[in-house]
Amino acid sequence: MSKTRKLVYFSLFVTLATALGFLETLLSNPLPLPGVKLGLANIVTLLVLYLYGLKEGLVVSLFRVLFVSLLGGTFLAVGFWLSFSGAVLSTLVMAGLIKYVSALSIIGVSMAGAVSHNVGQLLAASFLIQTPYIFYYLPFLLLAGIPTGLVTGYLARLLLRYFQGKDFLIINEK
Amino acid sequence: MTKTDQKLLLGLLIIGLLALAGHRFYFQSQTQSNQVIIKAKGEVVQTLTLRAGEPLQRLTIEGKKGQAIVETKGLKVRMLEAPCPDQICVQQGWIDSPRQTIICVPNEIVIYIDAEASLDGITG
Amino acid sequence: MKKNYFIVLIVVLVLVGGVIFFGQKKEQKLTSEEFLMDTFVSISTYGTDTDFLQQATKKAFQEMRRIAELTDRFSLSGTTAAKLSDVVRINENAGIKPVVIDEDVFEMLQAAQEYSQLTEGAFDVTIGPLLDLWGFGREKQKKPTVNELQRVLTLVDSEKLVLDQEKQCAFLSEQGMSLDLGAVAKGYAVERAAKVLAEEGVERALINAGGNIKVIGEKAKRQPWKIGIQDPRDSSALIGVLSLEDEAIATSGDYNRTIEIAGKRYHHLLSPQTGYPVGYNMSVTVVTHDAGQADLLSTALFLLEPQQALDLVAKLNDTEVVIITADKKILVSPGLQGKIELQARKEYSYDQN
């Protein structure tokens, strides 16, 4: 794949992720819990992880966090660091599972990603937000990650099948 | 879904439910007085001692995005109004037990009930 | 087939989760208050069935009212209340004849007598004439003269209280003597109420009769009850906080029940030897298992010098004490060290002995 081509695809993926991520900040939250989102942008991260790999996935999700925060005016605020930590942890976990646990399908990977995203945010919050009882939210964030991960996983699978039929992309899926 | 997916789902569900059960024990209790601590932008800006039957009381707290209104009534406290876009803190409603916490991430306000300082009785 | 199995399992787990979160009867707290024995008595019970808690609380209050009636010293002679009060009957028959009394009152008097001996007379339930002389609990207060004190102090003597175990009789052998169970009855009533609640099957409760507190069980799983000790000189401040579980706590302080005579304050914890308020301590808080014992001991220890009090506590089983001395030292008995979170104002000093 030529460099230019790659750059174009990348830009498209980052734009798509940013659009989805920003869209979600505008929608009202499904649950009154900080950090719980459907995680539509995670669909893009998943696709990139499957189509390219860890490095590319990290780049796309970090650019997405950066752009969404710039759009929302939360750059370098507490909320930004929470999203950042969630994105890094979930991308690492998903990439690890894709590489080492081949028995998991994209749905399982998505679920693990959603849960680790929520946990990652909470871990960051425990450093950034000084309250002794931050883990008050833990069970809800754990449980909320399951259905949101399932939904984004199914959506990602649909898209992945579509892309797999196209020959202009390099496919690594097993 | 593969079998491994299913195992993962089950595993996560069980961990989540166990955490939830623990949560019920840890974060639900009743007190005679609640020590409410309100932090804004990382600093403690208010500490309130709430006792049962106390009348409604409203406080304005300056957060990162603007003024939020915190309301207390008896032993309970809630975020009544906040300038944040997601309104999660407002939707969360009342908290009334030690360790319960309301966090408003965009406005950087934290409200929690301190377990150490909330007393069941006073002798003297 | 396998897939169905899995779906069933998920559904079951989600239902279990739902039951844990929504279905689980939320633990309720029921608090009732009544004015008894010159103070507000509150009983808080915890459980899932409020009707049951209400019934148990009602019975506990009934028992407390019964003790209150038996021990009230100020009912007017001839009224029904006076006839109901064992203390009034004993006092009216002082120097005349022994009277048969309720077994609870008998038990209180026995305990009181025991502690009179243990404190070598510093604690005395026959203190009635002295309290009356000063005017505690009466309309008019005055500072007694030396002659008056001399006359009245001969009437304060626990050894002249004759208890007959077999007949369950009590007799004050000299005319003019009188009992005052102010240091005993509240705690005893709290203990009785706790027994009633426990018999009814209440597992978690707190009874508070003006600072005489008894807790039943833990407040919640692995969560003790937190009780603050009031600062004797600032009613909004605390000396420290104790974590209790199945225990009782009581405090006697020089700031409670005071009278003012010619601009000077006097408290009600009087010495049977001098006839004056005892000034060694500002407050004494006792933690033990029995609320009656806690109440009685907090008064008895208050009347002793701090070191004497600590020595006595060391001899008693499962009894701990926090003493705030007149010179603002905080003394904590060894069993409580590390268990009390001190948060006293700077003017107090903590003496680690």
Side-chain angles (χ1 to χ4, degrees):
Chain A
M1 192 162 63
S2 78
K3 260 195 166 168
T4 328
R5 229 175 137 165
K6 196 169 173 181
L7 190 68
V8 171
Y9 286 143
F10 249 65
S11 312
L12 281 173
F13 278 126
V14 171
T15 313
L16 192 59
T18 306
L20 288 172
F22 187 63
L23 183 71
E24 266 192 334
T25 65
L26 300 177
L27 297 174
S28 68
N29 276 70
L31 290 167
L33 283 170
V36 173
K37 287 182 215 144
L38 193 48
L40 289 174
N42 198 41
I43 297 170
V44 182
T45 310
L46 261 174
L47 281 178
V48 175
L49 281 174
Y50 270 96
L51 295 172
Y52 302 97
L54 168 65
K55 207 173 74 194
E56 290 81 356
L58 265 180
V59 169
V60 169
S61 63
L62 290 184
F63 268 115
R64 184 251 303 170
V65 171
L66 176 68
F67 289 146
V68 171
S69 77
L70 287 172
L71 281 170
T74 59
F75 182 54
L76 295 185
V78 173
F80 167 78
W81 292 112
L82 300 191
S83 303
F84 180 87
S85 313
V88 171
L89 187 67
S90 74
T91 309
L92 288 176
V93 165
M94 290 193 294
L97 290 176
I98 292 168
K99 191 160 180 200
Y100 298 109
V101 191
S102 52
L104 276 179
S105 80
I106 191 166
I107 292 163
V109 171
S110 169
M111 216 157 43
V115 171
S116 53
H117 178 263
N118 292 352
V119 172
Q121 291 206 61
L122 198 65
L123 286 176
S126 71
F127 287 108
L128 290 173
I129 300 173
Q130 271 100 37
T131 147
Y133 315 119
I134 190 81
F135 291 96
Y136 175 60
Y137 292 108
L138 180 66
F140 307 110
L141 292 179
L142 277 176
L143 288 172
I146 298 172
T148 60
L150 279 175
V151 171
T152 52
Y154 270 104
L155 290 173
R157 187 167 72 173
L158 285 176
L159 283 171
L160 191 63
R161 277 185 188 149
Y162 173 79
F163 281 124
Q164 276 170 334
K166 310 293 165 197
D167 55 359
F168 61 84
L169 285 166
I170 300 162
I171 309 296
N172 309 335
E173 211 213 353
K174 292 141 201 153
Chain B
M1 257 200 276
T2 67
K3 263 208 184 134
T4 320
D5 285 347
Q6 297 179 354
K7 276 186 206 152
L8 179 69
L9 173 53
L10 271 179
L12 289 174
L13 205 52
I14 288 166
I15 292 170
L17 291 178
L18 285 177
L20 192 60
H23 186 274
R24 291 302 268 182
F25 284 117
Y26 194 62
F27 289 101
Q28 292 282 353
S29 57
Q30 307 262 357
T31 42
Q32 280 295 96
S33 81
N34 278 340
Q35 181 88 2
V36 173
I37 295 177
I38 303 175
K39 286 183 172 181
K41 291 174 270 183
E43 303 285 325
V44 176
V45 292
Q46 278 279 358
T47 55
L48 305 165
T49 306
L50 302 181
R51 288 176 202 270
E54 251 178 67
L56 197 120
Q57 184 186 348
R58 281 181 188 163
L59 308 161
T60 308
I61 306 291
E62 196 66 45
K64 192 174 178 164
K65 289 209 147 203
Q67 289 189 334
I69 300 174
V70 174
E71 188 173 81
T72 70
K73 186 170 189 274
L75 291 167
K76 308 182 289 180
V77 58
R78 71 169 169 184
M79 188 81 83
L80 184 68
E81 275 175 35
C84 54
D86 55 23
Q87 296 290 305
I88 288 170
C89 48
V90 176
Q91 286 164 25
Q92 197 180 337
W94 295 105
I95 58 170
D96 63 0
S97 296
R99 302 189 184 86
Q100 289 185 345
T101 305
I102 297 173
I103 296 177
C104 184
V105 175
N107 205 20
E108 293 187 20
I109 291 182
V110 183
I111 305 170
Y112 63 88
I113 300 176
D114 192 19
E116 297 309 314
S118 299
L119 292 180
D120 301 305
I122 292 167
T123 181
Chain C
M1 224 22 227
K2 273 261 162 76
K3 184 126 191 168
N4 286 343
Y5 217 55
F6 175 71
I7 289 169
V8 168
L9 204 52
I10 294 292
V11 169
V12 167
L13 273 176
V14 168
L15 285 178
V16 167
V19 168
I20 288 176
F21 198 63
F22 298 106
Q24 182 190 36
K25 270 195 179 169
K26 207 180 163 186
E27 184 160 89
Q28 306 276 331
K29 172 195 186 185
L30 185 84
T31 301
S32 310
E33 260 194 5
E34 242 177 69
F35 193 77
L36 274 175
M37 303 173 148
D38 291 329
T39 191
F40 277 103
V41 178
S42 79
I43 299 183
S44 300
T45 51
Y46 295 72
T48 48
D49 182 351
T50 37
D51 287 343
F52 158 73
L53 295 178
Q54 211 144 24
Q55 281 305 317
T57 304
K58 218 173 123 187
K59 285 185 186 158
F61 269 125
Q62 259 166 18
E63 177 67 5
M64 288 187 88
R65 269 193 301 265
R66 189 179 70 86
I67 302 290
E69 280 165 1
L70 284 171
T71 55
D72 183 14
R73 183 162 78 91
F74 294 107
S75 316
L76 287 173
S77 183
T79 60
T80 356
K83 278 174 200 148
L84 283 171
S85 167
D86 278 356
V87 170
V88 169
R89 291 194 304 123
I90 295 169
N91 291 350
E92 282 180 346
N93 288 297
I96 302 170
K97 63 170 197 283
V99 289
V100 181
I101 54 173
D102 184 273
E103 62 178 311
D104 285 309
V105 179
F106 193 85
E107 211 177 288
M108 276 182 253
L109 293 177
Q110 266 186 324
Q113 219 165 28
E114 187 192 332
Y115 281 96
S116 291
Q117 281 159 14
L118 282 172
T119 58
E120 287 157 14
F123 174 77
D124 203 311
V125 275
T126 63
I127 199 93
L130 187 58
L131 286 167
D132 289 344
L133 181 63
W134 282 85
F136 285 98
R138 306 278 177 187
E139 264 170 40
K140 278 206 177 124
Q141 283 89 35
K142 68 170 180 97
K143 197 171 171 185
T145 63
V146 178
N147 281 341
E148 283 172 324
L149 279 176
Q150 264 180 349
R151 183 177 52 80
V152 161
L153 285 178
T154 59
L155 295 170
V156 179
D157 187 353
S158 269
E159 281 171 24
K160 292 183 190 157
L161 166 64
V162 185
L163 297 175
D164 185 334
Q165 178 99 53
E166 245 167 69
K167 292 180 188 149
Q168 211 169 287
C169 278
F171 177 49
L172 292 169
S173 59
E174 218 168 296
Q175 203 154 18
M177 286 181 77
S178 66
L179 293 174
D180 182 280
L181 291 186
V184 193
K186 243 188 274 172
Y188 192 89
V190 168
E191 186 61 30
R192 287 299 313 157
K195 292 244 161 70
V196 169
L197 290 179
E199 278 162 18
E200 291 292 309
V202 175
E203 287 169 350
R204 292 199 282 281
L206 181 144
I207 305 165
N208 186 347
N212 285 287
I213 298 172
K214 167 100 183 186
V215 298
I216 302 175
E218 291 175 292
K219 184 178 177 194
K221 275 255 163 71
R222 256 169 269 124
Q223 209 185 309
W225 305 85
K226 298 247 174 194
I227 310 294
I229 300 173
Q230 197 189 311
D231 184 325
R233 293 295 175 263
D234 179 356
S235 63
S236 65
L238 295 176
I239 289 295
V241 176
L242 281 164
S243 298
L244 301 185
E245 190 184 308
D246 270 322
E247 273 164 312
I249 188 166
T251 299
S252 284
D254 62 4
Y255 48 96
N256 288 324
R257 298 198 178 211
T258 58
I259 54 173
E260 204 177 304
I261 302 165
K264 213 175 164 231
R265 295 220 141 260
Y266 299 89
H267 64 80
H268 72 296
L269 299 159
L270 304 170
S271 160
Q273 280 76 43
T274 67
Y276 278 92
V278 176
Y280 306 128
N281 305 303
M282 290 189 197
S283 81
V284 171
T285 301
V286 173
V287 180
T288 183
H289 280 91
D290 183 288
Q293 181 117 339
D295 190 10
L296 190 158
L297 261 175
S298 71
T299 305
L301 296 175
F302 182 95
L303 300 167
L304 298 176
E305 282 180 59
Q307 194 51 49
Q308 242 186 313
L310 286 174
D311 291 346
L312 178 54
V313 165
K315 280 188 241 160
L316 300 169
N317 279 336
D318 84 49
T319 304
E320 302 298 339
V321 70
V322 179
I323 301 172
I324 321 296
T325 65
D327 51 357
K328 303 200 168 178
K329 277 198 199 112
I330 302 173
L331 307 174
V332 178
S333 63
L336 279 185
Q337 277 169 20
K339 275 172 80 181
I340 182 170
E341 291 168 46
L342 288 169
Q343 43 180 265
R345 291 178 298 137
K346 278 198 200 100
E347 55 185 277
Y348 293 97
S349 66
Y350 176 44
D351 205 14
Q352 205 141 13
N353 49 344

